Amino acid sequence: MRFFCSFRIQLRYEKILLRGIGDCIMSEQKKNRRNSSFLYKVILVIGSICAVIIFIRFYQISKDNLVNMELVSIQNSEKELDNLFQIQINRVNESAAMIESIKSSGKTNEDIKEYLETENKILSSVAEEEFMDIYGSFDGEYIDGAGWTPDSDYSPVQRSWYKKAKKMDGEVGIVSPYKDMRTGKIIISYSKLLKDKKSVISYDVTLDETQKLVEKMVGDECIKTIIIDDNERIVASSNSSEIGHRFGTLLDKESKALYKKYLTSKNENFEYTYSGNNYYVYNKPLICNLKYLILIDADEMFLTLNRAVYCGWVIIAILVLVEILVIYDINKRRRIAEENLEQIKQLFQAANTDKLTGISNRRAYEEMLEQITNLGIPKDFVYISLDLNGLKTVNDNMGHAKGDELISGAAECISDIFGQQGSVYRIGGDEFAALLGISSKELLRLAKRFEYKQMEWSEKHGMQLTVSMGYAARETYPKVDLRQLISIADKEMYSAKGEYYKKTGKDRRIQI
């Protein structure tokens, strides 16, 4: 903004300088301090957030690494189980292929029975206690390789092994475990539907080897292992008493908590807490829709990591505390600085303000004249010289208190009329000046209003107030300097004062 482009602008600047420079200084300082303080706070907050995000990410990566390291040992057990189940599946597929060959060659069920009996003897000798029986339903006839003859009302199609085979439709299915009434052993069946869509071949095997492998997994870190089928029946468990039960029907609270978390895991590994203990569960799929759950002591597995996390959170808490203290210190320093600026403002205003009238004083007046001299007189500059009439008479007859009231009244009238167009000053006891940024035409309108204002004040306060006024406009005297312009205005003011004394018959030097 060009200071000298318009005197109105210049005078507004002067008003800011003299009446509000303290506010300007304070406002600018506050703005700078608040900006820097806000920026510093933003940096601290963003830095803290980034540190927390990085820390959490680091924790997650470290945790995943620990989980993957533990997974290596579990995968070996998983492979052994898969191999164990795959051996039985292969046997079922081989027997199914042989029976398909027998049937396709036109041979009868007697030939199938002979094959099953032979296969039963071979597998009994090879698999020892693991293998139990091979049997099936062929063209509606039940044939058992071990020679067992069922009751007359025995219906193969109602048996779980037959239904499972039908459901799997050509794929080998594993039937939920059950207790064999003849041997007292827990049995699972592998069954397969043949190509005619009504014949089924099935194997019964014990869970001894599977159970041994599952129990073998339980050690220092692995707390529990469970294998469940697609009906949520427990096929094998480190707690053998759970075999054959539905997972969701286990009565102990710990198993219920595990099952509840299992339902919401969506076939993924998961963590859960029970009775103050933390567990990590590997939820691994096996063949034939089996699931393998391995419970790990999460507190033990993540012990070192959790200690590091604890230390990390302590460090972050300390950093946050330091940030809070730093921000508190910043706010305290800013508050002190603002208080100091407020004092500077008050001192500045006191130094440039007339105590009696509240308008700008002689000191401010001289500073403004110096600035105008340095920057040049604008085209719309008007200097007004004003002098209060009859002050000595009031002081002598009514007292100085009334004289001060008259001075304050003059300042009030001058400020109300001319203050909005520029700046007004008290430059002596009864002397005032106004520096305006208006045209001569506008000045005449203001001069008329100023006369009315004096009359209003006089009627209101019961004391006559008149001010002699002289002015000099830059547009009228474009070639003179500021001091000459002031001299012209003073001469006009004294001329007006002379007219006042002539008109009233009063002389300020004569006490009436």
Side-chain angles (χ1 to χ4, degrees), residues 22-23 41 84 110 124 154 223 249 294 353 410 453:
D23 289 332
K41 290 176 184 176
L84 194 61
E110 286 297 322
S124 296
Y154 181 84
I223 298 173
T249 61
I294 306 100
T353 303
K453 187 69 178 178

Side-chain angles (χ1 to χ4, degrees), residues 224-240:
K224 186 174 183 178
T225 54
I226 306 175
I227 297 176
I228 58 176
D229 63 14
D230 53 359
N231 291 322
E232 293 189 354
R233 291 275 185 180
I234 298 177
V235 175
S237 172
S238 53
N239 181 1
S240 59

Side-chain angles (χ1 to χ4, degrees), residues 1 3 8-28 345 348-349 352-353 360 364 367-368 371 419 422-423 425:
M1 181 175 66
F3 182 84
R8 191 184 300 269
I9 296 175
Q10 183 177 11
L11 291 176
R12 288 183 183 277
Y13 173 80
E14 182 271 342
K15 288 173 71 177
I16 293 173
L17 178 68
L18 298 179
R19 297 181 183 178
I21 191 167
D23 289 332
C24 294
I25 294 172
M26 180 172 285
S27 177
E28 191 64 25
K345 169 191 171 183
F348 184 88
Q349 288 179 335
N352 290 276
T353 303
S360 300
E367 287 183 357
M368 190 57 192
Q371 289 196 42
S423 294
Y425 307 86

Side-chain angles (χ1 to χ4, degrees), residues 299-436:
D299 291 332
E300 182 67 26
M301 183 166 68
F302 302 132
L303 178 61
T304 303
L305 178 60
N306 287 337
R307 286 175 177 172
V309 169
Y310 176 78
C311 293
W313 282 122
V314 170
I315 292 172
I316 289 177
I318 292 173
L319 290 175
V320 170
L321 179 60
V322 170
E323 289 176 6
I324 292 172
L325 292 175
V326 169
I327 291 173
Y328 173 79
D329 183 65
I330 291 173
N331 290 336
K332 182 179 179 181
R333 290 174 181 272
R334 187 182 69 189
R335 187 170 59 254
I336 293 172
E338 289 174 354
E339 289 173 357
N340 292 337
L341 285 171
E342 179 65 29
Q343 292 177 357
I344 293 172
K345 169 191 171 183
Q346 293 174 359
L347 291 172
F348 184 88
Q349 288 179 335
N352 290 276
T353 303
D354 180 62
K355 290 183 179 180
L356 177 62
T357 62
I359 64 175
S360 300
N361 61 13
R362 180 85 187 196
R363 181 176 181 274
Y365 169 76
E366 294 294 344
E367 287 183 357
M368 190 57 192
L369 294 184
E370 182 179 353
Q371 289 196 42
I372 296 174
T373 301
N374 294 334
L375 296 172
I377 305 173
K379 289 192 301 182
D380 56 352
F381 175 73
V382 175
Y383 181 93
I384 303 176
S385 179
L386 303 113
D387 193 280
L388 176 60
N389 297 321
L391 176 62
K392 186 177 186 309
T393 301
V394 173
N395 283 336
D396 292 342
N397 294 336
M398 303 176 69
H400 285 277
K402 284 294 182 179
D404 289 344
E405 183 181 350
L406 194 65
I407 293 171
S408 297
E412 178 186 333
C413 294
I414 294 169
S415 181
D416 285 350
I417 301 301
F418 301 117
Q420 296 300 316
Q421 307 299 326
S423 294
V424 297
Y425 307 86
R426 183 187 179 197
I427 58 176
D430 54 0
E431 298 176 12
F432 297 86
L435 282 67
L436 310 182

Side-chain angles (χ1 to χ4, degrees), residues 5 21 26 43 169 176 218 253 337:
C5 66
I21 191 167
M26 180 172 285
I43 292 172
D169 194 24
S176 297
V218 179
K253 293 182 179 179

Side-chain angles (χ1 to χ4, degrees), residues 167-261:
K167 181 180 179 181
M168 297 302 292
D169 194 24
E171 297 293 330
V172 177
I174 296 179
V175 183
S176 297
Y178 64 95
K179 188 174 184 179
D180 184 70
M181 301 304 296
R182 291 177 295 168
T183 63
K185 292 191 175 188
I186 303 297
I187 303 297
I188 59 172
S189 302
Y190 295 79
S191 57
K192 181 177 181 178
L193 183 68
L194 301 184
K195 292 180 180 179
D196 61 5
K197 300 298 181 180
K198 60 181 180 178
S199 298
V200 173
I201 178 71
S202 184
Y203 270 74
D204 282 352
V205 296
T206 67
L207 286 169
D208 294 347
E209 290 299 316
T210 303
Q211 183 64 20
K212 288 178 184 178
L213 191 55
V214 168
E215 291 177 356
K216 180 183 174 183
M217 278 294 296
V218 179
D220 295 333
E221 294 182 355
C222 182
I223 298 173
K224 186 174 183 178
T225 54
I226 306 175
I227 297 176
I228 58 176
D229 63 14
D230 53 359
N231 291 322
E232 293 189 354
R233 291 275 185 180
I234 298 177
V235 175
S237 172
S238 53
N239 181 1
S240 59
S241 64
E242 297 177 345
I243 298 174
H245 293 279
R246 286 192 182 275
F247 189 14
T249 61
L250 296 178
L251 298 178
D252 62 290
K253 293 182 179 179
E254 185 172 0
S255 296
K256 286 183 177 180
L258 174 61
Y259 178 71
K260 183 178 180 181
K261 191 67 179 178

Side-chain angles (χ1 to χ4, degrees), residues 83-99 115-116 119-120 122-135 172 190-192 194 201-206 209:
N83 290 336
L84 194 61
F85 289 118
Q86 189 63 55
I87 289 172
Q88 307 300 340
I89 291 171
N90 291 341
R91 286 175 179 171
V92 174
N93 285 327
E94 290 172 4
S95 295
M98 181 59 69
I99 292 171
Y115 165 74
L116 294 180
E119 188 71 9
N120 186 285
I122 295 172
L123 291 176
S124 296
S125 62
V126 173
E128 299 179 348
E129 295 183 357
E130 182 183 350
F131 174 76
M132 291 296 296
D133 195 6
I134 180 172
Y135 54 90
V172 177
Y190 295 79
S191 57
K192 181 177 181 178
L194 301 184
I201 178 71
S202 184
Y203 270 74
D204 282 352
V205 296
T206 67
E209 290 299 316

